Amino acid sequence: MSFTIQNALIPVDSGYETADVQVVDNCISAIAPNNPPFNSPPYQGGNPASNSPAYQGGNPPSNPPPYQGGDRGGQTVINGKNKLLLPGFINAHTHSSEMWQRGIIPPLPLELWIAELYDFTPLDPEQVYLSALGTAVETLLSGGTSVVDHLVLIPGQELETIAAAVRAYQEIGIRAFIGPLIQDESLTAGMPAGDSGIEHAAYIRSTKATLELMETAIKQFHTPEKGVNMLLAPTGIQLCSDALFEGCIDLSDRYNLCRHAHLLETPAQKQLAYEKYGCSAVEHLQKIGYLSPRTSLAHCVWLDDSDIAIMAETGATVVHNPLSNLRLGSGIAPILKYRQAGVNVSFGCDGAASNDSQDLLEAIKIGSILHNITDLDYRQWITPRQSVEMASLGGAKGLNLADEMGSLTVGKKADFVLYDLTSLSLLPRTDPIGLLILGRPTNAVDSVWVNGKQIVAEGKVKTIDVDALRRELFDRSEWTSKRQSQTVSEIEAHYRKVMNLQGYS
């Protein structure tokens, strides 16, 4: 498979250039500037953007002949004129099956929100398949080429659940990283006990059985050559024993897989960590060896300075999920502190019942400008170009794949997106990346390639029938505005008490 995108705009240190980007055997084989740089001095040769967040090396051919369109030597040529080419973003944390509950869960903190979520979790693998397709479509059409699915498993149908998501992601062609969400403690164990001495029911599956299940899933579904990667992904310290974490460390080391988890999403989890360990959750995870450059951790809202130092030392990645953190009242993660300390940061949408969307561009915008209120030193604020790098290369680093994807670099995978700079939401013409990140782009994605295969063309997904998906999602659901969660009713009084909220009795 080979093709060339001609005359696309790419970011370089001094502004932008138009260039031809050639793909051979699913990888970028050449990046050849063919016009004087846009908003910069004339191109003098050499590497056009050795330190650009989008272009990171490789020697382009010198003085390439201009392409005239159509096929050239058996190679397809794609017109990139008035389009911006960027590396694909990574939706570095979501839960695809939550799509079935978006817009319905009322304003609740995580510990109560998740109780309602679990009371109404889909129990049909076909629903899992459809919601994985929906998650992939929304990710692709907002600039994403990869998705990290912290997949909620149907009890008793765990392998069928994973198989349904795998089928969806392979059909549509997005690059998928599936981390089955596992735990070995019951839901009430996720809240601080306080002085109540609350007893927790046994979880439905033993730690040993859960680890055996994960090993079976790895052997059955981990097929990177087919675009599906398995992760070890315990839900977090709030619902997992050390034995489960340590078993995941062993499996990830034996099979060379990445690790994922939630970490200190809420103040309740910070309080719980001290109850369980007598130290911070970050300190404890470091002690048991869970933190590493192959570990990505979602949320990380309630870390203190010593925790941040540990994250930097271990090379673990923070996945910033700003919209769900706001939706659930969890707090604002100290992202500027992470960046200043050298911690790698990427972006995630989180599940569509705590964000109610899978619009990656929306998450990137909010996750960038939100922090302007947390630090008066505007020189530390996140620029649009830094946001692009966090969403692409930052996500790749968190998956231990920075050498293979995450930037427009010769030799890397052809995972990239063309944005239509004539879209009304990206006009009038100013800074293309500024318009994309700080604006509210609609219908701006023109084309998407994953592993060199075109998945989106002229703003339409080519690999599946999106209209049929819309009908299925519509027909399998119904309008509703009120429902009653039995579990929330049972645990709300305890939550209000341990969190020192007025009127808890």
Side-chain angles (χ1 to χ4, degrees):
M1 181 183 298
S2 63
F3 61 92
T4 296
I5 301 173
Q6 178 185 1
N7 291 323
L9 201 66
I10 64 170
V12 296
D13 287 345
S14 52
Y16 297 88
E17 286 185 324
T18 56
D20 294 347
V21 178
Q22 184 181 62
V23 173
V24 176
D25 295 332
N26 307 326
C27 292
I28 299 171
S29 60
I31 300 176
N34 56 22
N35 282 318
F38 172 69
N39 287 343
S40 64
Y43 177 63
Q44 301 298 322
N47 288 339
S50 60
N51 296 312
S52 163
Y55 180 88
Q56 295 210 346
N59 290 313
S62 59
N63 301 319
Y67 294 125
Q68 302 301 320
D71 288 345
R72 182 171 182 231
Q75 185 180 87
T76 301
V77 175
I78 295 159
N79 185 9
K81 186 177 181 181
N82 295 324
K83 296 181 176 69
L84 173 69
L85 184 68
L86 292 179
F89 300 147
I90 295 170
N91 187 354
H93 177 72
T94 192
H95 309 277
S96 62
S97 63
E98 287 184 16
M99 176 171 284
W100 294 97
Q101 297 192 63
R102 61 181 179 185
I104 183 62
I105 301 181
L108 291 170
L110 174 75
E111 287 74 20
L112 301 180
W113 170 91
I114 200 169
E116 173 150 342
L117 181 82
Y118 277 27
D119 276 355
F120 300 99
T121 293
L123 297 177
D124 177 2
E126 189 65 14
Q127 287 180 287
V128 172
Y129 164 75
L130 293 170
S131 55
L133 283 180
T135 296
V137 168
E138 291 190 37
T139 297
L140 288 164
L141 295 181
S142 57
T145 52
S146 296
V147 61
V148 177
D149 191 352
H150 207 177
L151 185 66
V152 179
L153 302 176
I154 300 171
Q157 300 182 74
E158 291 88 355
L159 293 176
E160 292 88 345
T161 306
I162 301 169
V166 168
R167 176 164 63 100
Y169 292 136
Q170 287 185 328
E171 282 181 10
I172 201 166
I174 198 169
R175 197 180 295 277
F177 299 83
I178 299 175
L181 188 149
I182 52 175
Q183 63 192 77
D184 59 355
E185 296 175 357
S186 63
L187 188 63
T188 55
M191 291 189 292
D195 57 5
S196 65
I198 188 172
E199 294 186 6
H200 309 300
Y203 189 60
I204 59 172
R205 190 173 50 242
S206 71
T207 305
K208 181 175 183 291
T210 297
L211 292 170
E212 289 172 348
L213 174 65
M214 288 303 97
E215 187 161 22
T216 300
I218 292 165
K219 291 177 179 178
Q220 186 169 338
F221 299 112
H222 183 63
T223 53
E225 69 281 1
K226 296 180 180 179
V228 174
N229 304 263
M230 297 300 293
L231 310 178
L232 278 303
T235 182
I237 63 102
Q238 66 274 19
L239 295 174
C240 300
S241 68
D242 281 358
L244 186 60
F245 274 110
E246 289 163 353
C248 288
I249 294 169
D250 175 63
L251 286 172
S252 71
D253 289 345
R254 282 198 282 128
Y255 290 96
N256 193 29
L257 302 179
C258 288
R259 309 165 193 161
H260 190 64
H262 299 98
L263 178 64
L264 293 179
E265 184 173 354
T266 68
Q269 290 177 7
K270 184 170 186 176
Q271 183 177 332
L272 175 66
Y274 280 93
E275 282 187 2
K276 289 182 73 169
Y277 311 126
C279 65
S280 81
V282 177
E283 289 178 77
H284 187 73
L285 291 178
Q286 182 192 34
K287 288 176 184 176
I288 64 175
Y290 195 76
L291 304 182
S292 79
R294 290 189 289 130
T295 305
S296 61
L297 299 158
H299 303 291
C300 298
V301 178
W302 292 91
L303 276 62
D304 58 27
D305 289 348
S306 61
D307 294 331
I308 294 171
I310 291 171
M311 293 288 286
E313 177 187 341
T314 57
T317 289
V318 169
V319 183
H320 187 25
N321 299 271
L323 287 159
S324 63
N325 293 342
L326 293 172
R327 163 84 150 89
L328 304 179
S330 300
I332 299 176
I335 297 301
L336 299 185
K337 281 189 174 183
Y338 292 139
R339 287 173 51 79
Q340 292 165 32
V343 177
N344 183 51
V345 180
S346 59
F347 290 105
C349 287
D350 207 359
S354 63
N355 174 339
D356 305 274
S357 168
Q358 291 295 288
D359 187 330
L360 195 48
L361 283 168
E362 181 184 39
I364 294 167
K365 174 180 178 175
I366 297 298
S368 301
I369 65 175
L370 177 63
H371 307 286
N372 296 1
I373 65 171
T374 66
D375 191 331
L376 290 176
D377 187 352
Y378 51 88
R379 292 182 177 179
Q380 303 298 330
W381 296 354
I382 299 170
T383 69
R385 288 198 177 213
Q386 289 170 337
S387 297
V388 167
E389 185 171 15
M390 291 163 66
S392 52
L393 189 60
K397 285 180 180 177
L399 296 167
N400 199 35
L401 290 171
D403 291 338
E404 297 182 30
M405 49 194 280
S407 62
L408 299 181
T409 303
V410 172
K412 287 195 177 184
K413 300 290 187 184
D415 287 22
F416 43 59
V417 180
L418 268 180
Y419 296 91
D420 181 3
L421 295 177
T422 70
S423 169
L424 184 61
S425 61
L426 297 180
L427 291 172
R429 289 186 289 171
T430 57
D431 176 16
I433 289 179
L435 288 165
L436 184 71
I437 299 300
L438 298 177
R440 181 62 179 90
T442 56
N443 303 316
V445 171
D446 177 86
S447 302
V448 178
W449 288 264
V450 178
N451 202 35
K453 179 181 178 182
Q454 189 166 15
I455 307 299
V456 176
E458 297 181 342
K460 305 291 184 183
V461 177
K462 298 174 54 177
T463 48
I464 66 164
D465 186 339
V466 176
D467 287 336
L469 173 63
R470 289 171 52 229
R471 290 193 296 271
E472 285 279 356
L473 291 171
F474 186 91
D475 292 344
R476 286 174 173 264
S477 56
E478 60 184 22
W479 304 119
T480 183
S481 60
K482 293 182 180 180
R483 63 186 188 186
Q484 187 64 41
S485 166
Q486 180 178 345
T487 306
V488 171
S489 300
E490 292 171 355
I491 67 175
E492 184 175 15
H494 172 74
Y495 176 84
R496 294 184 66 82
K497 180 178 181 179
V498 298
M499 297 308 295
N500 297 313
L501 297 172
Q502 294 298 317
Y504 58 80
S505 58

